[in-house]
Amino acid sequence: MTIAWIDAGNGCAGDMLLAALVDAGADFDGILAGLSRLPVEDVKLSTEVVRRHGLRARRVLVEAPETRHARHLPEILDLIGAAALPAAAERFATAVFGRLAEAEAAVHGIEPERVHFHEVGALDAIVDIAGCALGLAALGLLDATVTVSPIAVGGGTVTAAHGRLTVPPPAVLALLTGAPVAAHPAARELCTPTGAALLVTLADAYGPMPACVPLKVGVGAGTADPPGHANIVRVVVGADSAPSPSWVRSTMTVIETTVDDLDPRLWPEVLSALRGAGAADAWCAPVTAPKGRPGVVLTTLAADDRVDGVCAAIFAHTSTLGLRLSPVERRALPRDSVTVDYRGTPVSVKRGYLDGVVVTAQPEYEEAKAAAEATGQPLRRVLDEVRVLSSK
């Protein structure tokens, strides 16, 4: 499994992250080719090796013509869509601009579609975000697990389109809400809105570098070289240091409701109907409902494309008026099914594998029961002997 760690302990800007990705091995010519398809004014990119506070780093220079064209979110998304970027890169760039729009909208109290992007709508920011999307895709990091360090924002004040603002400016603070921010003595802006949007969109987790086998390290430089710290962002690309178990990970939805006025004799049919509607699992648990009435919590697990059908089945087969939905991660063993002959009666067995080894074998209960009745053997013996037969 590919993992990555982004060290933003000295801040982050879009061009710094792009430079770090190129330094880590992302194909710069491929990035240029992708950016050339953006239907915008001519923008030139070049790269050079520099030093920041005595440390080697790579810098990407973005030369964009000045423009008075104020772009809004729909136009920017159209530009990205017209560039024919790889699908994962397009999704990422779109998500980053969506976060920027939501942050600016929250700051100004307007709808995201009406946001006048100011600096982040300028050509260099469009190039930074699309370029990072292409670089991340080239390194395989859009499908990786990405951890971001606590993010340094700096201090002091900064001059923006709305005048002089205290660092962090409102849009950066809105973007980093919920993310860990690192203390830093620098009296200057260290994290730009574009950098913040890129980081929070990428992050699967926040914290120190995770356990891994480092494979590539990229160091991206900011424009300035202040005396107090290295103005850099680092990207570490690595492999998981532990072998990955062979289970299957998927995102599913838990659907719950509490019912206290349904004939209890109906519950077996309800559970059967929900499985027939596509539920991966469904079960009931007794609870004490309001006013001390006995009730039942119905819990159902469904894949994303089955949620609506399962919800409809719950409403149709129970008396509930509302449902609670929440996303969960599911880990399941790879499995197969075999049929064994038990003294002339076929019995199906589901087998689950962990790292290629059968770790569980479950005979179909009704078929095992039929075999017990046909042979006169105790059901418990049938279940045990069928499990043994399924392993041969």
Side-chain angles (χ1 to χ4, degrees):
M1 179 186 298
T2 300
I3 63 176
W5 181 60
I6 299 177
D7 175 11
N10 284 309
C12 182
D15 61 331
M16 293 171 67
L17 182 58
L18 176 56
L21 295 171
V22 173
D23 200 49
D27 180 15
F28 188 60
D29 290 337
I31 293 173
L32 291 177
L35 293 177
S36 69
R37 296 193 295 270
L38 284 168
V40 297
E41 298 90 331
D42 185 38
V43 179
K44 296 181 180 179
L45 272 74
S46 59
T47 178
E48 63 179 4
V49 175
V50 297
R51 287 184 176 273
R52 292 293 179 260
H53 205 55
L55 298 178
R56 176 214 164 272
R58 184 170 299 277
R59 183 184 175 201
V60 168
L61 294 83
V62 179
E63 299 178 55
E66 292 188 10
T67 176
R68 296 183 180 274
H69 188 173
R71 291 182 168 95
H72 295 74
L73 180 63
E75 181 183 355
I76 291 174
L77 298 186
D78 287 343
L79 292 174
I80 294 171
L85 304 180
E90 180 178 338
R91 286 195 299 270
F92 178 77
T94 298
V96 173
F97 270 110
R99 283 183 180 268
L100 278 168
E102 290 172 2
E104 291 283 354
V107 168
H108 296 290
I110 59 177
E111 295 298 317
E113 292 75 14
R114 296 178 55 207
V115 168
H116 181 150
F117 269 91
H118 302 299
E119 293 93 341
V120 297
L123 286 176
D124 56 350
I126 296 174
V127 169
D128 286 346
I129 291 171
C132 284
L134 289 164
L136 290 162
L139 293 173
L141 299 185
L142 293 180
D143 296 319
T145 299
V146 179
T147 301
V148 175
S149 75
I151 302 163
V153 295
T157 60
V158 62
T159 301
H162 300 288
R164 184 162 290 277
L165 299 171
T166 301
V167 174
V172 171
L173 197 56
L175 285 160
L176 296 183
T177 298
V181 174
H184 198 288
R188 59 191 300 269
E189 183 183 28
L190 297 180
C191 186
T192 66
T194 301
L198 286 163
L199 293 177
V200 298
T201 304
L202 265 176
D204 296 302
Y206 296 96
M209 187 169 73
C212 67
V213 178
L215 302 176
K216 301 175 182 178
V217 179
V219 184
T223 302
D225 186 15
H229 70 280
N231 187 22
I232 59 173
V233 62
R234 294 188 296 167
V235 172
V236 179
V237 181
D240 195 340
S241 57
S244 297
S246 60
W247 52 57
V248 179
R249 298 174 61 175
S250 59
T251 299
M252 305 192 82
T253 298
V254 169
I255 309 166
E256 277 192 343
T257 185
T258 304
V259 180
D260 63 4
D261 57 356
L262 185 71
D263 187 333
R265 295 173 297 179
L266 297 177
W267 282 114
E269 284 71 24
V270 171
L271 297 177
S272 178
L274 296 183
R275 293 187 178 95
D281 203 354
W283 64 94
C284 296
V287 296
T288 301
K291 299 183 180 179
R293 294 191 298 266
V296 168
V297 172
L298 171 64
T299 306
T300 309
L301 187 65
D304 291 344
D305 60 346
R306 300 296 182 93
V307 170
D308 289 343
V310 171
C311 288
I314 295 174
F315 285 127
H317 291 276
T318 73
S319 56
T320 190
L321 296 174
L323 305 172
R324 303 181 293 274
L325 280 70
S326 56
V328 296
E329 180 183 293
R330 183 194 193 205
R331 300 189 181 189
L333 294 177
R335 65 196 68 182
D336 66 8
S337 179
V338 296
T339 300
V340 302
D341 183 280
Y342 183 79
R343 304 188 185 188
T345 302
V347 180
S348 300
V349 184
K350 290 181 180 177
R351 302 185 300 184
Y353 293 82
L354 182 62
D355 297 331
V357 178
V358 175
V359 293
T360 182
Q362 295 297 333
E364 291 293 340
Y365 182 82
E366 294 299 329
E367 295 180 16
K369 182 178 178 183
E373 293 172 352
T375 60
Q377 297 296 315
L379 178 56
R380 185 179 67 175
R381 178 179 297 174
V382 173
L383 293 170
D384 290 341
E385 293 182 359
V386 165
R387 289 191 184 97
V388 173
L389 290 170
S390 72
S391 65
K392 295 181 179 179

